[in-house]
Amino acid sequence: MKLYDLRVNHLCNPLGYEMRKTTFSWKIKEALGKRQAAARIRIGEKENLDAGNLLADTGFLENLSSVASTIDVPLMPCKRYFWDVTVQTELGEEATSNVQWFETGKMDKEWNAEWISCDSRQKRHPIFQKKIDLKGSVKKARLYICGLGLYEAFYGDERIGEEYLTPYCNDYNEWIQYQTYDVTEMLRKDGILSVLLGNGWYKGRFGFDNPSESGYYGNEWKLKAELDIEYEDGSEDIIGTDESWRVKRSKLIFSEIYDGEHRDDTLPEVPVEAAVICEQPKGKLTARYSTPVTVHEQLKPTKLVLTPRGETVLDLGQEFTGIFSLRVKEPKGTKIHIQTGEILQNDNFYRDNLRTAKSEYIYISDGKEKVIYPHFTFYGYRYVKIEGMTHLKKEDFTGLALYSEIPETGNIETRNPLVNQLISNIRWGMKSNFLDVPTDCPQRDERMGWTGDAQIFSAAATYLADTYSFYKKYLYDMACEQKVRDGKVPQVIPNFGKEGTSSVWGDAACIIPWNLYLFYGDQAILEEQFDSMRSWVDYIHRMDQENHCWREEFHYGDWLALDHPTGGENGFMGGTDERFIADVSYAVSAGIVKKAAHILGRKREETEYEAIEKSQYDWIKKEYYTQTGKCCIRTQTAQLLTLKYHLSENEDEARKMLRILLDESDGKLKTGFVGTPLLCKVLSENEMDDLAYELFLNEEFPGWLNEVKLGATTIWERWNSLDENGCISGTQMNSLNHYAAGAVAEWIFRYVVGINMDETDFSAAGFRKMSFTPRLKQSLGYAKGSYESAMGRYSCAWEFQDDTHVKISVSVPFGANARLILPEAGESVFNDKKNPMFRDVKDGVCYLTAGEYTVEYSVEKKTAAYDIDTSMRKLLEHVAVREFIGSLIPLETLPKEFMPISFRKLAVQFGSAEDEQLEQINEVLKTFR
Ligand code: BGC
């Protein structure tokens, strides 16, 4: 038996993170036992966790949760703590983890450093420097540092740490992060500590509201750093930023997030300046929340293209976010101009959809051979146009994908290559938009933390990767921004002047923490965010007043849906009344606050928000539904909301209406930001997998696979971002790397692969319990996937051996319990009592504990795919069925509006068909698959 994924506050051996409390978690694999009988955590100040050295020892406890166990440790600043965990199983096995550690940041300890600055009007970016003279052999050295806008630190020629774009992006008016680096190994000899500063989000052009050169948060370069050295002889040295630091001017003369970077290596050295003490920035200096942004994939160009226009373009084969490295060896004074783009148009380089973002890099060579990379910008790109290089070889260029630490947790594969490519596109969409902030897109003059996009995609993202710490930082920022806005959640976090809000967008404050709780089972996130969640609902409550005024505000609604009466395919708003969406989201958020209050044992708030939730649902039913439960809004999204939140007493009506609406739209989706994430999920939850698969596997416009067929390598902002000829459909708002529609990955995990999180039973949170609910689709051949949950790894795979035989395998991690609902299985399947899968079966559901299980059986279709009650649209889509129907009635003259109507109704109405005749036709139709 092995212990793995040992974490403190969901982080592996964290150094210098903000730590309000210490919550431990671990996972177990390769055990003979099936569950943890007891566990013991020991915490100490020394790596040797012997009895005499301990700060805490829980002893063996039966209820120490592997998913989250909070243990109070009195924490001191700048100190490393060690811990381990020992687990016993019900069979008496025992294993102890390797010793782990966590180290605090400065906490409330005074800084021995000042904020320093320099002449910030100069173009040449500053390098702040300090000569370090060591007084002996170094035992331990830490650098605590924050530089604004952005910084990169070096000791001698060596870069300190592997992170980019530090100190990261947040609401700098409220808080500013410093990072902690272990520099012990670097300080083997005297050297120069240098810090290069750039403009970034703090002092550069960013957001819609400061197109000028002045920054949204500040205009001055600022640095605060403290190097704490502990020598072997026990003496200490602290070197902090002050007036003794010198300022050298670098060769960087321009850096902007949107516009790129300019570097001129021909610039002469200029005399050094003295650093000046400056005013501290507005926000509170806080230990880091952001997980490291580092280089992950290194992409080599797949092609060097000479375009019809004569441009030299490299194709990296994959759209991603990051920077690049380029080997240059050009004569002195050569100007190299690099621009990035997402796509070629008419085989030429194209970048108009980036709007005002210049997204470029300009380099002037000093004649020496070197490898250059941008420091303080990033690009969302696949294609690079390079001008000015005489001997460019594609090997000289490497794309460097930058994103936050989000370890991969979920995998899916099927026999359909288009589906596999889609999953890859969704994953790249996530990576591209998880650069410290969950952004809408990474390329144009936006790249902002739009709350709506973030919440829509959060469940899908959390299946694909461990997102806990990434979202925790975003949510902390959100809470800070709400505090100064009376609970209002601005539509963009960090805000950058986008003060407006909207339902669905602001509801991120409730939905994301709730998703994190469901996935990770740690109520710490609810404790931390409770005030934020509640204050958002309180804000709506105040806006709503007595007369339901909240819905009368501006709301984005079903953004980018295709069914707006005037908007159409290139419009913005959807066809579902935004007021209805606003009212529903309000109820949903109130319900989440109620549930969170319940989990946190806050009875008073539970009652309070339950009352809001109930009165809101009562109002919705009265306002938008007929007395018999029919939704007054005739759109796909309205029916999806009806079913998802059980808004009608008559759900059959909503199901029927959904079928009619899909038949009317030729079986194609019309949904936007609200409907798309729900679409397949709600259909599967309502036993309408036929439609879910039909929409999902549709290769025509609009649909997920349509994008794949048109060559997408990430997810597009619009269903028609490119038309069928591969031409960009518009430039106003058209990104090829917007993850929102990738929310469908949640459905793929839950119902295609069948690893389905339980949302109703709170004791299941953290995947302690879940359900396997795979839904078979013959044309997919097989689907297999796994999810590395907070409990360990679940997997599920199904494969058709031939037309009727299916093999299903699942695995359940140590300590977990799962229900398995075998798809299309007849009763006889369960009789095989020798198969451990069937040891505990109730009402056709297999109850499983940790282990691996497999079964093979012959599927039993409960209902035929086609019969006389199937809509004409569906019947006519099947080639053979169409032929058969065509032999009965003339199809050429059939009006399009008749498509949602069943064969039976048409046959009775216009063909005066007899019962007996109809029955015969029915039998024939049932034979089609
Ligand atoms: C963004 C979206 C965002 C929207 C607000 C756009 O510019 O790219 O994804 O949610 O504005 O509706």
mmCIF file of all heavy atoms in Angstrom, residues 433-440 448-450 454 470-471 474 493 512 739:
data_model
loop_
_atom_site.group_PDB
_atom_site.id
_atom_site.type_symbol
_atom_site.label_atom_id
_atom_site.label_comp_id
_atom_site.label_asym_id
_atom_site.label_seq_id
_atom_site.Cartn_x
_atom_site.Cartn_y
_atom_site.Cartn_z
ATOM 1 N N ASN A 433 -6.207 29.543 -21.180
ATOM 2 C CA ASN A 433 -6.922 30.585 -20.445
ATOM 3 C C ASN A 433 -6.781 30.429 -18.940
ATOM 4 O O ASN A 433 -7.585 30.971 -18.179
ATOM 5 C CB ASN A 433 -8.386 30.602 -20.869
ATOM 6 C CG ASN A 433 -8.557 31.217 -22.243
ATOM 7 O OD1 ASN A 433 -8.279 32.399 -22.423
ATOM 8 N ND2 ASN A 433 -8.945 30.419 -23.213
ATOM 9 N N PHE A 434 -5.793 29.675 -18.532
ATOM 10 C CA PHE A 434 -5.519 29.512 -17.099
ATOM 11 C C PHE A 434 -4.148 30.088 -16.775
ATOM 12 O O PHE A 434 -3.330 29.457 -16.124
ATOM 13 C CB PHE A 434 -5.604 28.032 -16.705
ATOM 14 C CG PHE A 434 -6.994 27.596 -16.295
ATOM 15 C CD1 PHE A 434 -8.103 27.978 -17.025
ATOM 16 C CD2 PHE A 434 -7.196 26.810 -15.180
ATOM 17 C CE1 PHE A 434 -9.388 27.590 -16.654
ATOM 18 C CE2 PHE A 434 -8.472 26.404 -14.795
ATOM 19 C CZ PHE A 434 -9.571 26.793 -15.532
ATOM 20 N N LEU A 435 -3.904 31.269 -17.271
ATOM 21 C CA LEU A 435 -2.656 31.939 -16.948
ATOM 22 C C LEU A 435 -2.956 32.889 -15.786
ATOM 23 O O LEU A 435 -3.394 34.006 -15.981
ATOM 24 C CB LEU A 435 -2.135 32.689 -18.177
ATOM 25 C CG LEU A 435 -0.659 33.103 -18.121
ATOM 26 C CD1 LEU A 435 -0.136 33.349 -19.526
ATOM 27 C CD2 LEU A 435 -0.424 34.304 -17.273
ATOM 28 N N ASP A 436 -2.828 32.370 -14.606
ATOM 29 C CA ASP A 436 -3.071 33.054 -13.338
ATOM 30 C C ASP A 436 -4.532 33.440 -13.094
ATOM 31 O O ASP A 436 -5.017 33.369 -11.980
ATOM 32 C CB ASP A 436 -2.174 34.291 -13.168
ATOM 33 C CG ASP A 436 -2.157 34.713 -11.711
ATOM 34 O OD1 ASP A 436 -1.981 33.830 -10.850
ATOM 35 O OD2 ASP A 436 -2.348 35.897 -11.416
ATOM 36 N N VAL A 437 -5.223 33.871 -14.146
ATOM 37 C CA VAL A 437 -6.627 34.279 -14.028
ATOM 38 C C VAL A 437 -7.408 33.440 -15.038
ATOM 39 O O VAL A 437 -6.916 33.231 -16.143
ATOM 40 C CB VAL A 437 -6.756 35.778 -14.397
ATOM 41 C CG1 VAL A 437 -8.197 36.196 -14.515
ATOM 42 C CG2 VAL A 437 -6.034 36.648 -13.384
ATOM 43 N N PRO A 438 -8.619 32.974 -14.693
ATOM 44 C CA PRO A 438 -9.416 32.313 -15.731
ATOM 45 C C PRO A 438 -9.921 33.361 -16.708
ATOM 46 O O PRO A 438 -10.789 34.158 -16.365
ATOM 47 C CB PRO A 438 -10.562 31.654 -14.958
ATOM 48 C CG PRO A 438 -10.607 32.340 -13.631
ATOM 49 C CD PRO A 438 -9.282 32.977 -13.386
ATOM 50 N N THR A 439 -9.352 33.394 -17.897
ATOM 51 C CA THR A 439 -9.678 34.471 -18.839
ATOM 52 C C THR A 439 -10.663 34.012 -19.900
ATOM 53 O O THR A 439 -10.853 32.825 -20.112
ATOM 54 C CB THR A 439 -8.402 34.979 -19.538
ATOM 55 O OG1 THR A 439 -7.711 33.866 -20.095
ATOM 56 C CG2 THR A 439 -7.505 35.707 -18.573
ATOM 57 N N ASP A 440 -11.245 34.989 -20.587
ATOM 58 C CA ASP A 440 -12.146 34.679 -21.693
ATOM 59 C C ASP A 440 -11.344 34.191 -22.896
ATOM 60 O O ASP A 440 -11.733 33.260 -23.577
ATOM 61 C CB ASP A 440 -12.987 35.903 -22.065
ATOM 62 C CG ASP A 440 -12.146 37.127 -22.416
ATOM 63 O OD1 ASP A 440 -10.979 37.203 -21.974
ATOM 64 O OD2 ASP A 440 -12.645 38.020 -23.126
ATOM 65 N N MET A 448 -9.287 38.851 -20.179
ATOM 66 C CA MET A 448 -9.711 39.278 -18.846
ATOM 67 C C MET A 448 -10.488 38.187 -18.114
ATOM 68 O O MET A 448 -11.053 37.293 -18.720
ATOM 69 C CB MET A 448 -10.580 40.534 -18.993
ATOM 70 C CG MET A 448 -9.742 41.774 -19.256
ATOM 71 S SD MET A 448 -10.626 42.985 -20.209
ATOM 72 C CE MET A 448 -11.640 43.703 -18.986
ATOM 73 N N GLY A 449 -10.539 38.324 -16.797
ATOM 74 C CA GLY A 449 -11.188 37.303 -15.963
ATOM 75 C C GLY A 449 -12.697 37.442 -15.932
ATOM 76 O O GLY A 449 -13.301 37.668 -14.885
ATOM 77 N N TRP A 450 -13.317 37.283 -17.094
ATOM 78 C CA TRP A 450 -14.778 37.375 -17.181
ATOM 79 C C TRP A 450 -15.409 36.286 -16.310
ATOM 80 O O TRP A 450 -15.152 35.091 -16.495
ATOM 81 C CB TRP A 450 -15.245 37.214 -18.629
ATOM 82 C CG TRP A 450 -15.058 38.453 -19.439
ATOM 83 C CD1 TRP A 450 -14.003 38.752 -20.247
ATOM 84 C CD2 TRP A 450 -15.952 39.572 -19.528
ATOM 85 N NE1 TRP A 450 -14.172 39.985 -20.819
ATOM 86 C CE2 TRP A 450 -15.361 40.507 -20.400
ATOM 87 C CE3 TRP A 450 -17.188 39.868 -18.947
ATOM 88 C CZ2 TRP A 450 -15.965 41.724 -20.705
ATOM 89 C CZ3 TRP A 450 -17.788 41.075 -19.256
ATOM 90 C CH2 TRP A 450 -17.188 41.999 -20.129
ATOM 91 N N ALA A 454 -15.823 32.013 -16.601
ATOM 92 C CA ALA A 454 -15.145 31.214 -15.573
ATOM 93 C C ALA A 454 -16.112 30.234 -14.917
ATOM 94 O O ALA A 454 -15.799 29.049 -14.764
ATOM 95 C CB ALA A 454 -14.517 32.128 -14.531
ATOM 96 N N PHE A 470 -5.931 27.256 -8.099
ATOM 97 C CA PHE A 470 -6.080 28.266 -9.149
ATOM 98 C C PHE A 470 -7.355 29.085 -8.910
ATOM 99 O O PHE A 470 -7.333 30.321 -8.913
ATOM 100 C CB PHE A 470 -6.129 27.570 -10.515
ATOM 101 C CG PHE A 470 -6.379 28.495 -11.664
ATOM 102 C CD1 PHE A 470 -5.368 29.299 -12.141
ATOM 103 C CD2 PHE A 470 -7.631 28.567 -12.258
ATOM 104 C CE1 PHE A 470 -5.597 30.171 -13.199
ATOM 105 C CE2 PHE A 470 -7.873 29.429 -13.311
ATOM 106 C CZ PHE A 470 -6.849 30.227 -13.788
ATOM 107 N N TYR A 471 -8.469 28.391 -8.680
ATOM 108 C CA TYR A 471 -9.731 29.112 -8.449
ATOM 109 C C TYR A 471 -9.758 29.787 -7.085
ATOM 110 O O TYR A 471 -10.400 30.815 -6.904
ATOM 111 C CB TYR A 471 -10.927 28.164 -8.564
ATOM 112 C CG TYR A 471 -11.317 27.828 -9.980
ATOM 113 C CD1 TYR A 471 -11.508 26.507 -10.367
ATOM 114 C CD2 TYR A 471 -11.528 28.820 -10.933
ATOM 115 C CE1 TYR A 471 -11.884 26.176 -11.663
ATOM 116 C CE2 TYR A 471 -11.910 28.502 -12.232
ATOM 117 C CZ TYR A 471 -12.091 27.183 -12.592
ATOM 118 O OH TYR A 471 -12.460 26.873 -13.864
ATOM 119 N N TYR A 474 -8.559 33.188 -7.484
ATOM 120 C CA TYR A 474 -9.538 34.008 -8.213
ATOM 121 C C TYR A 474 -10.684 34.404 -7.266
ATOM 122 O O TYR A 474 -11.137 35.543 -7.250
ATOM 123 C CB TYR A 474 -10.056 33.189 -9.390
ATOM 124 C CG TYR A 474 -11.030 33.871 -10.312
ATOM 125 C CD1 TYR A 474 -10.656 34.980 -11.058
ATOM 126 C CD2 TYR A 474 -12.328 33.372 -10.479
ATOM 127 C CE1 TYR A 474 -11.542 35.584 -11.936
ATOM 128 C CE2 TYR A 474 -13.215 33.955 -11.363
ATOM 129 C CZ TYR A 474 -12.827 35.071 -12.089
ATOM 130 O OH TYR A 474 -13.713 35.647 -12.964
ATOM 131 N N ILE A 493 -12.991 39.982 -13.081
ATOM 132 C CA ILE A 493 -12.159 39.882 -11.864
ATOM 133 C C ILE A 493 -10.772 39.429 -12.298
ATOM 134 O O ILE A 493 -10.682 38.394 -12.964
ATOM 135 C CB ILE A 493 -12.730 38.818 -10.885
ATOM 136 C CG1 ILE A 493 -14.175 39.110 -10.480
ATOM 137 C CG2 ILE A 493 -11.819 38.668 -9.663
ATOM 138 C CD1 ILE A 493 -14.332 40.203 -9.460
ATOM 139 N N ILE A 512 -18.699 28.732 -8.384
ATOM 140 C CA ILE A 512 -17.337 28.168 -8.384
ATOM 141 C C ILE A 512 -16.988 27.569 -7.011
ATOM 142 O O ILE A 512 -16.551 26.422 -6.943
ATOM 143 C CB ILE A 512 -16.282 29.183 -8.880
ATOM 144 C CG1 ILE A 512 -16.624 29.630 -10.310
ATOM 145 C CG2 ILE A 512 -14.879 28.557 -8.854
ATOM 146 C CD1 ILE A 512 -15.684 30.666 -10.892
ATOM 147 N N TYR A 739 -12.876 29.279 -23.935
ATOM 148 C CA TYR A 739 -13.222 27.917 -23.491
ATOM 149 C C TYR A 739 -14.684 27.645 -23.178
ATOM 150 O O TYR A 739 -15.075 26.508 -22.973
ATOM 151 C CB TYR A 739 -12.352 27.473 -22.322
ATOM 152 C CG TYR A 739 -12.332 28.361 -21.087
ATOM 153 C CD1 TYR A 739 -13.493 28.929 -20.573
ATOM 154 C CD2 TYR A 739 -11.138 28.603 -20.411
ATOM 155 C CE1 TYR A 739 -13.458 29.717 -19.437
ATOM 156 C CE2 TYR A 739 -11.097 29.383 -19.267
ATOM 157 C CZ TYR A 739 -12.269 29.944 -18.786
ATOM 158 O OH TYR A 739 -12.240 30.712 -17.671
#
